[in-house]
Amino acid sequence: MLGFPSAKNNHGGMLHRRITCHGRSSAQTRRSLESIPSPPFKRPQHVILNIAGKLTQVTESSIAIESAPFEYEVLVGDYTRRQLQSKVGQSIRLHTMDYIEGNAQGGGRLTPRLVGFATEPERQFFDLFCSVDGVGVKKALRAMVRPVKELAVMIEQQDAKGLSALPGIGPATSERIIAKLRRKMPRFALMVDQAGPTGETDSESNHVVSETFDALITLGHAEAEARRLIDEALATKKKFKDTEALLTAIYQKSV
């Protein structure tokens, strides 16, 4: 028999749980139990989606936001940190994701952390980046030294040399990133340049661009051609309130 740890029942007595293994040794049974596959891992939903308040401090790898009655430490990538350096004392708003730092199995301390981004697409990109084997949150944060649009273009164009030059990303990791994410990058490669994480972002423009890209693909354009058409329309510096307006500008220009 294989014995499992005893536990007290509601009346204070001891409950003994056992599995009887007829005709099999304990070692054989243990191996059979270990061979049962674990349920698939599901990425947890984030608890804190946005944070707004006064920027009180910018350090090498994090910032502090005063959102009364609390002051929060938020981890940021180097590109976002550079954008925020001149904003100390001003009100800002960041999109966030949360995670638990530490190793529960090792008996160490578990610390809740927040990671901040200027826009929702940047957070989505970071979540995908972290999903690559061998990356994780800490390594992904170190690598965020350039705009997400540039990183997405490198992945889409399979620029392994450029990716491996990022802090903490070597040749092997860059190949895994390209293999897993290349087909998910077109909408990030089309991101409109942002004004910065001060509450005045162009997230609505990015939504229009993303929908227009999908529409052009549906209409039969290749990804590279769709991207070129959108870039040419955006180069005019005009504002497009919706997908229809951007598509109209694209086809008027190509006539």
Side-chain angles (χ1 to χ4, degrees), residues 51-56 65-72:
I51 187 168
K54 185 174 73 172
L55 178 64
T56 59
I65 296 180
E66 182 182 314
S67 184
F70 303 106
E71 186 169 10
Y72 297 88

Side-chain angles (χ1 to χ4, degrees), residues 48 62 73-75 96-102 110-115 137-138:
I48 303 176
S62 67
E73 179 187 48
V74 183
L75 304 179
T96 59
M97 61 173 283
D98 47 83
Y99 78 103
I100 302 297
E101 182 179 274
L110 299 179
T111 306
R113 298 288 192 190
L114 278 177
V115 185
V137 174
K138 287 186 176 180

Side-chain angles (χ1 to χ4, degrees), residues 21-42:
C21 312
H22 298 288
R24 305 184 70 182
S25 69
S26 295
Q28 289 175 321
T29 304
R30 188 177 296 108
R31 285 195 295 270
S32 297
L33 291 172
E34 291 174 349
S35 67
I36 298 174
S38 301
F41 172 78
K42 293 184 178 180

